[in-house]
Amino acid sequence: YTPSSRALVLVTMAGTTMLYSLTMTMVNITLPQLQGALSASQDQIAWVVTLNVLATAVATPLTGSLVAKFGRRRVLIFCTSAFTLATLACGFSTSLEWLLFFRVLQGLLGAPLVPLSQATLLQIYPREMHAKVNGIYGMAVVVGPAIAPSLGGYLSEAYDWRWVFFLMV
């Protein structure tokens, strides 16, 4: 790998992880708007977050098995593409049930992105650069949740709750 191709992979993997972490946290700020738009109770709308986290917790340990069977590149490309489609579907959801279904898909498909991104970076960079690469990658992991409330609040107020999902596509 050339230095420029490594840098491009680092930016791509860090961006992927940042967007995934945005989906985990940015939706929280739009829950009151979602509740009104989908005519849901406070208990019902809480499932939008809960089911996504549960799906992520279930799917993360399966990443190694998926990679062993299909290969890291295939799993990464499939999960990224399908996660993007699930995110788009969340934005187009017309009922709480559909939104919950697509949030579960987001969690299942997004869970492998973090470990696969990090594994990819550790494979293409030499060992002496691992600390630096992990530091840069770690900043992206932290930046997503840090900007999520402001960005989610702005999008949901200026446009609509759907734009919280459309932004990530």
Coordinates of all heavy atoms in Angstrom, one line a residue, residues 59-130:
A59 N -25.3 -8.6 17.1 CA -24.5 -8.8 15.8 C -23.0 -8.7 16.0 O -22.3 -9.3 15.2 CB -25.0 -7.8 14.8
T60 N -22.6 -7.9 16.9 CA -21.1 -7.6 17.0 C -20.3 -8.9 17.2 O -19.3 -9.1 16.5 CB -20.8 -6.6 18.1 OG1 -21.5 -5.4 17.8 CG2 -19.3 -6.3 18.3
P61 N -20.7 -9.8 18.1 CA -19.9 -11.0 18.3 C -19.9 -12.0 17.0 O -19.0 -12.8 16.9 CB -20.5 -11.7 19.4 CG -21.4 -10.7 20.1 CD -21.8 -9.7 19.1
L62 N -20.9 -11.8 16.1 CA -21.0 -12.6 15.0 C -20.0 -12.2 13.8 O -19.8 -12.9 12.9 CB -22.4 -12.6 14.4 CG -23.5 -13.1 15.4 CD1 -24.8 -12.9 14.8 CD2 -23.2 -14.6 15.7
T63 N -19.4 -11.0 14.0 CA -18.5 -10.5 13.0 C -17.4 -11.4 12.6 O -17.1 -11.7 11.4 CB -17.9 -9.1 13.4 OG1 -19.0 -8.2 13.7 CG2 -17.0 -8.5 12.4
G64 N -16.7 -12.0 13.6 CA -15.6 -13.0 13.3 C -16.1 -14.1 12.5 O -15.4 -14.5 11.5
S65 N -17.2 -14.7 12.8 CA -17.7 -15.8 12.0 C -18.1 -15.4 10.6 O -17.8 -16.2 9.6 CB -19.0 -16.4 12.7 OG -18.7 -16.9 14.0
L66 N -18.7 -14.3 10.4 CA -19.0 -13.8 9.1 C -17.7 -13.6 8.2 O -17.7 -13.9 7.1 CB -19.8 -12.5 9.1 CG -21.2 -12.6 9.7 CD1 -21.8 -11.2 9.9 CD2 -22.1 -13.4 8.7
V67 N -16.7 -13.0 8.9 CA -15.4 -12.8 8.1 C -14.8 -14.1 7.8 O -14.3 -14.2 6.7 CB -14.5 -11.9 9.0 CG1 -13.1 -11.9 8.4 CG2 -15.1 -10.5 9.1
A68 N -14.8 -15.1 8.7 CA -14.2 -16.4 8.4 C -14.9 -17.0 7.2 O -14.3 -17.7 6.4 CB -14.3 -17.3 9.6
K69 N -16.2 -16.9 7.1 CA -17.0 -17.5 6.1 C -16.9 -16.8 4.7 O -16.8 -17.4 3.7 CB -18.4 -17.7 6.5 CG -19.3 -18.5 5.5 CD -20.6 -18.9 6.1 CE -21.3 -19.7 5.1 NZ -22.0 -20.8 5.6
F70 N -17.0 -15.4 4.8 CA -17.2 -14.7 3.5 C -16.0 -13.8 3.2 O -15.9 -13.2 2.1 CB -18.4 -13.8 3.6 CG -19.7 -14.6 3.8 CD1 -20.4 -14.5 5.0 CD2 -20.2 -15.4 2.7 CE1 -21.5 -15.3 5.2 CE2 -21.4 -16.1 2.9 CZ -22.0 -16.1 4.1
G71 N -15.1 -13.5 4.2 CA -14.0 -12.6 4.0 C -14.3 -11.2 4.4 O -15.4 -10.7 4.4
R72 N -13.3 -10.5 4.9 CA -13.5 -9.2 5.5 C -14.0 -8.2 4.5 O -14.9 -7.4 4.8 CB -12.2 -8.7 6.2 CG -12.4 -7.4 6.9 CD -11.2 -6.9 7.7 NE -10.0 -6.7 6.8 CZ -8.9 -7.4 7.0 NH1 -8.7 -8.2 8.0 NH2 -7.9 -7.1 6.2
R73 N -13.4 -8.2 3.3 CA -13.8 -7.2 2.3 C -15.3 -7.3 2.0 O -16.0 -6.3 1.9 CB -12.9 -7.3 1.1 CG -13.2 -6.3 0.1 CD -12.4 -6.4 -1.1 NE -13.0 -5.4 -2.1 CZ -12.3 -4.9 -3.1 NH1 -11.1 -5.2 -3.2 NH2 -12.9 -4.1 -3.9
R74 N -15.7 -8.6 1.7 CA -17.1 -8.8 1.3 C -18.1 -8.4 2.4 O -19.1 -7.7 2.2 CB -17.3 -10.2 1.0 CG -16.8 -10.6 -0.4 CD -17.3 -12.0 -0.7 NE -16.8 -12.3 -2.1 CZ -16.5 -13.6 -2.5 NH1 -16.6 -14.6 -1.6 NH2 -16.0 -13.8 -3.7
V75 N -17.7 -8.7 3.6 CA -18.6 -8.4 4.8 C -18.6 -6.9 4.9 O -19.7 -6.3 5.1 CB -18.1 -9.1 6.1 CG1 -19.0 -8.6 7.3 CG2 -18.3 -10.6 5.9
L76 N -17.5 -6.2 4.8 CA -17.5 -4.8 5.0 C -18.3 -4.1 3.9 O -19.1 -3.2 4.2 CB -16.0 -4.3 5.0 CG -15.7 -2.9 5.3 CD1 -16.3 -2.5 6.7 CD2 -14.2 -2.6 5.3
I77 N -18.1 -4.5 2.7 CA -18.8 -3.9 1.6 C -20.3 -4.1 1.7 O -21.2 -3.2 1.6 CB -18.3 -4.3 0.2 CG1 -16.9 -3.7 0.0 CG2 -19.2 -3.9 -0.9 CD1 -16.2 -4.3 -1.2
F78 N -20.7 -5.4 2.0 CA -22.1 -5.7 2.1 C -22.7 -4.9 3.3 O -23.8 -4.3 3.1 CB -22.3 -7.2 2.4 CG -23.7 -7.6 2.7 CD1 -24.7 -7.6 1.7 CD2 -24.2 -7.8 4.0 CE1 -26.0 -7.9 2.0 CE2 -25.5 -8.1 4.3 CZ -26.4 -8.1 3.3
C79 N -22.1 -4.9 4.5 CA -22.7 -4.3 5.6 C -22.8 -2.8 5.4 O -23.8 -2.1 5.8 CB -21.9 -4.6 6.9 SG -22.1 -6.2 7.5
T80 N -21.8 -2.2 4.8 CA -21.8 -0.7 4.5 C -23.0 -0.4 3.6 O -23.7 0.5 3.8 CB -20.5 -0.2 3.9 OG1 -19.4 -0.5 4.8 CG2 -20.5 1.3 3.6
S81 N -23.1 -1.2 2.5 CA -24.2 -0.9 1.5 C -25.5 -1.1 2.1 O -26.4 -0.3 1.9 CB -24.0 -1.8 0.3 OG -22.7 -1.6 -0.3
A82 N -25.7 -2.3 2.8 CA -27.0 -2.6 3.4 C -27.4 -1.6 4.5 O -28.5 -1.3 4.7 CB -27.0 -4.0 3.8
F83 N -26.4 -1.2 5.3 CA -26.6 -0.3 6.4 C -27.1 1.1 5.8 O -28.0 1.7 6.3 CB -25.3 0.0 7.1 CG -25.4 1.0 8.2 CD1 -26.0 0.8 9.4 CD2 -24.9 2.3 8.0 CE1 -26.1 1.7 10.4 CE2 -25.0 3.3 8.9 CZ -25.6 3.0 10.1
T84 N -26.5 1.5 4.7 CA -26.9 2.7 4.0 C -28.4 2.6 3.5 O -29.2 3.5 3.7 CB -26.0 3.0 2.8 OG1 -24.7 3.1 3.3 CG2 -26.4 4.3 2.1
L85 N -28.7 1.5 3.0 CA -30.1 1.3 2.5 C -31.1 1.2 3.7 O -32.2 1.8 3.6 CB -30.3 0.0 1.7 CG -29.6 0.0 0.3 CD1 -29.7 -1.4 -0.3 CD2 -30.2 1.1 -0.6
A86 N -30.7 0.6 4.8 CA -31.5 0.5 6.0 C -31.7 2.0 6.6 O -32.8 2.3 7.0 CB -30.9 -0.4 7.0
T87 N -30.7 2.8 6.5 CA -30.7 4.1 7.0 C -31.7 5.0 6.1 O -32.5 5.7 6.7 CB -29.3 4.8 7.0 OG1 -28.5 4.0 7.9 CG2 -29.4 6.2 7.6
L88 N -31.6 4.8 4.8 CA -32.5 5.5 3.9 C -33.9 5.1 4.2 O -34.8 5.9 4.3 CB -32.1 5.2 2.5 CG -32.9 5.8 1.4 CD1 -32.8 7.4 1.4 CD2 -32.5 5.3 0.0
A89 N -34.1 3.8 4.4 CA -35.5 3.3 4.7 C -36.0 3.8 6.0 O -37.2 4.1 6.2 CB -35.5 1.7 4.8
C90 N -35.1 4.0 7.0 CA -35.6 4.7 8.3 C -36.2 6.1 8.0 O -37.2 6.4 8.5 CB -34.4 4.8 9.2 SG -33.9 3.3 10.1
G91 N -35.5 6.8 7.1 CA -36.0 8.1 6.8 C -37.3 8.1 6.0 O -38.1 9.1 6.1
F92 N -37.6 7.1 5.3 CA -38.9 7.0 4.6 C -39.9 6.2 5.4 O -41.1 6.1 4.8 CB -38.6 6.3 3.2 CG -38.0 7.2 2.2 CD1 -36.8 6.8 1.6 CD2 -38.6 8.4 1.8 CE1 -36.2 7.6 0.7 CE2 -38.0 9.2 0.9 CZ -36.7 8.8 0.3
S93 N -39.7 5.8 6.6 CA -40.6 5.1 7.3 C -41.9 5.9 7.6 O -41.8 7.1 7.9 CB -40.0 4.6 8.7 OG -39.0 3.7 8.5
T94 N -43.0 5.2 7.5 CA -44.3 5.9 7.6 C -45.0 5.5 8.9 O -46.1 6.0 9.2 CB -45.2 5.6 6.4 OG1 -45.4 4.2 6.2 CG2 -44.7 6.3 5.2
S95 N -44.5 4.5 9.6 CA -45.1 4.1 10.9 C -44.0 3.7 11.9 O -42.8 3.4 11.5 CB -46.0 2.9 10.6 OG -45.2 1.7 10.3
L96 N -44.4 3.6 13.1 CA -43.4 3.2 14.1 C -42.9 1.8 13.9 O -41.7 1.5 14.1 CB -44.1 3.3 15.5 CG -43.2 2.9 16.7 CD1 -42.0 3.8 16.8 CD2 -44.0 2.9 18.0
E97 N -43.8 0.9 13.4 CA -43.4 -0.5 13.2 C -42.3 -0.6 12.2 O -41.3 -1.3 12.3 CB -44.6 -1.3 12.8 CG -45.6 -1.5 13.9 CD -46.5 -0.3 14.1 OE1 -46.5 0.6 13.3 OE2 -47.2 -0.3 15.1
W98 N -42.5 0.2 11.1 CA -41.4 0.1 10.0 C -40.1 0.8 10.5 O -39.0 0.3 10.2 CB -41.9 0.8 8.7 CG -42.8 0.0 7.9 CD1 -44.1 0.1 7.7 CD2 -42.4 -1.2 7.3 NE1 -44.6 -0.9 6.9 CE2 -43.6 -1.8 6.6 CE3 -41.2 -2.0 7.1 CZ2 -43.6 -2.9 5.9 CZ3 -41.2 -3.1 6.4 CH2 -42.4 -3.6 5.8
L99 N -40.2 1.9 11.2 CA -39.0 2.5 11.7 C -38.3 1.6 12.7 O -37.1 1.4 12.6 CB -39.4 3.8 12.5 CG -38.2 4.6 13.0 CD1 -37.2 5.0 11.9 CD2 -38.6 5.8 13.8
L100 N -39.0 0.9 13.5 CA -38.4 -0.1 14.4 C -37.7 -1.2 13.7 O -36.6 -1.6 14.0 CB -39.4 -0.7 15.4 CG -40.0 0.3 16.4 CD1 -41.1 -0.4 17.3 CD2 -38.9 0.9 17.3
F101 N -38.4 -1.7 12.6 CA -37.8 -2.8 11.8 C -36.5 -2.3 11.2 O -35.5 -3.0 11.2 CB -38.8 -3.2 10.7 CG -38.2 -4.2 9.7 CD1 -38.1 -5.5 10.1 CD2 -37.9 -3.8 8.5 CE1 -37.5 -6.4 9.2 CE2 -37.4 -4.7 7.5 CZ -37.2 -6.0 7.9
F102 N -36.5 -1.1 10.6 CA -35.3 -0.6 9.9 C -34.2 -0.2 10.9 O -33.0 -0.3 10.6 CB -35.6 0.5 9.0 CG -36.4 0.0 7.8 CD1 -37.7 0.6 7.5 CD2 -35.9 -1.0 6.9 CE1 -38.4 0.1 6.4 CE2 -36.7 -1.4 5.9 CZ -37.9 -0.9 5.6
R103 N -34.6 0.2 12.1 CA -33.6 0.5 13.2 C -32.9 -0.8 13.6 O -31.7 -0.9 13.9 CB -34.2 1.2 14.4 CG -34.5 2.6 14.1 CD -33.3 3.5 14.0 NE -32.8 3.7 15.3 CZ -31.6 4.2 15.6 NH1 -30.8 4.6 14.6 NH2 -31.2 4.4 16.8
V104 N -33.6 -1.9 13.7 CA -33.0 -3.2 14.0 C -32.0 -3.6 12.9 O -30.9 -4.0 13.2 CB -34.1 -4.3 14.2 CG1 -33.5 -5.7 14.2 CG2 -34.9 -4.1 15.5
L105 N -32.4 -3.4 11.6 CA -31.5 -3.7 10.5 C -30.3 -2.8 10.6 O -29.2 -3.3 10.4 CB -32.2 -3.5 9.2 CG -33.2 -4.6 8.7 CD1 -33.8 -4.2 7.4 CD2 -32.5 -5.9 8.7
Q106 N -30.5 -1.6 10.9 CA -29.3 -0.7 11.1 C -28.3 -1.3 12.1 O -27.1 -1.3 11.9 CB -29.7 0.7 11.6 CG -30.0 1.7 10.5 CD -30.1 3.1 11.2 OE1 -30.7 3.2 12.2 NE2 -29.6 4.1 10.5
G107 N -28.9 -1.7 13.3 CA -28.0 -2.3 14.3 C -27.3 -3.5 13.9 O -26.1 -3.7 14.1
L108 N -28.0 -4.4 13.2 CA -27.5 -5.7 12.8 C -26.4 -5.5 11.7 O -25.3 -6.1 11.7 CB -28.6 -6.6 12.2 CG -29.6 -7.1 13.2 CD1 -30.7 -7.9 12.4 CD2 -28.9 -8.1 14.2
L109 N -26.7 -4.6 10.8 CA -25.7 -4.3 9.7 C -24.6 -3.4 10.0 O -23.5 -3.5 9.4 CB -26.5 -3.8 8.5 CG -27.5 -4.8 7.9 CD1 -28.5 -4.0 7.0 CD2 -26.8 -5.9 7.1
G110 N -24.8 -2.5 11.0 CA -23.8 -1.5 11.4 C -22.8 -2.1 12.4 O -21.7 -1.6 12.4
A111 N -23.2 -3.1 13.1 CA -22.4 -3.6 14.2 C -21.0 -4.1 13.7 O -20.0 -3.8 14.3 CB -23.1 -4.8 14.9
P112 N -20.9 -4.8 12.5 CA -19.6 -5.2 12.1 C -18.7 -4.1 11.6 O -17.5 -4.3 11.4 CB -19.9 -6.2 10.9 CG -21.3 -6.6 11.2 CD -22.0 -5.4 11.8
L113 N -19.2 -2.9 11.3 CA -18.4 -1.9 10.7 C -17.3 -1.4 11.6 O -16.2 -1.2 11.1 CB -19.3 -0.7 10.4 CG -20.4 -1.0 9.3 CD1 -21.2 0.3 9.1 CD2 -19.8 -1.5 8.0
V114 N -17.5 -1.3 12.9 CA -16.5 -0.8 13.8 C -15.3 -1.8 13.9 O -14.1 -1.4 13.6 CB -17.0 -0.4 15.2 CG1 -15.9 0.0 16.1 CG2 -18.1 0.7 15.0
P115 N -15.5 -3.1 14.2 CA -14.4 -4.0 14.3 C -13.7 -4.2 13.0 O -12.5 -4.4 12.9 CB -15.0 -5.3 14.9 CG -16.5 -5.2 14.8 CD -16.8 -3.7 14.7
L116 N -14.5 -4.3 11.9 CA -13.9 -4.5 10.6 C -13.1 -3.3 10.1 O -12.0 -3.5 9.5 CB -15.0 -4.8 9.5 CG -15.6 -6.2 9.7 CD1 -16.7 -6.4 8.6 CD2 -14.6 -7.3 9.6
S117 N -13.5 -2.1 10.4 CA -12.7 -0.9 10.1 C -11.4 -0.9 10.8 O -10.3 -0.7 10.2 CB -13.5 0.4 10.5 OG -14.7 0.5 9.7
Q118 N -11.4 -1.2 12.1 CA -10.2 -1.2 12.9 C -9.3 -2.3 12.4 O -8.1 -2.1 12.3 CB -10.5 -1.3 14.4 CG -9.4 -0.9 15.2 CD -9.8 -0.7 16.7 OE1 -10.9 -1.2 17.1 NE2 -9.1 0.1 17.4
A119 N -9.8 -3.5 12.2 CA -9.0 -4.6 11.7 C -8.3 -4.3 10.3 O -7.2 -4.6 10.1 CB -9.8 -5.9 11.6
T120 N -9.1 -3.6 9.5 CA -8.5 -3.3 8.2 C -7.4 -2.3 8.3 O -6.3 -2.5 7.7 CB -9.6 -2.6 7.3 OG1 -10.7 -3.6 7.1 CG2 -9.1 -2.2 5.9
L121 N -7.5 -1.3 9.2 CA -6.5 -0.3 9.4 C -5.2 -1.0 10.0 O -4.1 -0.7 9.6 CB -7.0 0.8 10.3 CG -8.0 1.7 9.7 CD1 -8.5 2.6 10.8 CD2 -7.5 2.4 8.5
L122 N -5.4 -1.9 10.9 CA -4.3 -2.6 11.6 C -3.6 -3.5 10.6 O -2.4 -3.7 10.7 CB -4.7 -3.3 12.8 CG -5.2 -2.4 14.0 CD1 -5.6 -3.3 15.1 CD2 -4.1 -1.5 14.4
Q123 N -4.3 -4.0 9.6 CA -3.6 -4.8 8.6 C -2.8 -4.1 7.6 O -1.8 -4.5 7.2 CB -4.7 -5.7 7.9 CG -4.0 -6.6 6.9 CD -5.0 -7.3 6.0 OE1 -6.1 -6.9 5.8 NE2 -4.6 -8.4 5.4
I124 N -3.3 -2.9 7.1 CA -2.6 -2.2 6.1 C -1.5 -1.3 6.5 O -0.7 -0.9 5.7 CB -3.6 -1.4 5.1 CG1 -4.2 -0.3 5.9 CG2 -4.6 -2.4 4.6 CD1 -5.0 0.7 5.0
Y125 N -1.5 -0.9 7.8 CA -0.5 -0.1 8.4 C 0.6 -0.9 9.1 O 0.3 -1.9 9.7 CB -1.0 1.0 9.4 CG -1.6 2.2 8.7 CD1 -3.0 2.2 8.3 CD2 -0.8 3.3 8.4 CE1 -3.5 3.3 7.7 CE2 -1.3 4.4 7.8 CZ -2.7 4.4 7.4 OH -3.2 5.5 6.8
P126 N 1.9 -0.5 9.0 CA 2.9 -1.3 9.7 C 2.7 -1.1 11.2 O 2.2 -0.1 11.7 CB 4.2 -0.6 9.2 CG 3.8 0.6 8.5 CD 2.4 0.6 8.2
R127 N 3.2 -2.0 11.9 CA 3.1 -2.1 13.4 C 3.5 -0.8 14.1 O 2.9 -0.3 15.0 CB 3.8 -3.3 14.0 CG 3.6 -3.4 15.5 CD 4.2 -4.7 16.0 NE 3.7 -5.9 15.5 CZ 2.6 -6.5 15.9 NH1 1.9 -5.9 16.9 NH2 2.1 -7.6 15.4
E128 N 4.6 -0.2 13.6 CA 5.1 1.0 14.2 C 4.1 2.2 14.1 O 4.3 3.2 14.8 CB 6.5 1.4 13.8 CG 6.6 1.7 12.3 CD 6.9 0.4 11.4 OE1 6.9 -0.7 12.0 OE2 7.1 0.6 10.2
M129 N 3.2 2.1 13.2 CA 2.2 3.2 13.0 C 0.9 3.0 13.6 O 0.0 3.8 13.6 CB 2.0 3.5 11.5 CG 3.3 4.0 10.8 SD 3.0 4.4 9.1 CE 2.1 5.9 9.3
H130 N 0.7 1.8 14.3 CA -0.6 1.4 14.8 C -1.1 2.4 15.9 O -2.3 2.8 15.9 CB -0.6 0.0 15.4 CG -0.6 -1.1 14.4 ND1 -0.6 -2.4 14.7 CD2 -0.6 -1.0 13.0 CE1 -0.7 -3.1 13.6 NE2 -0.6 -2.3 12.6

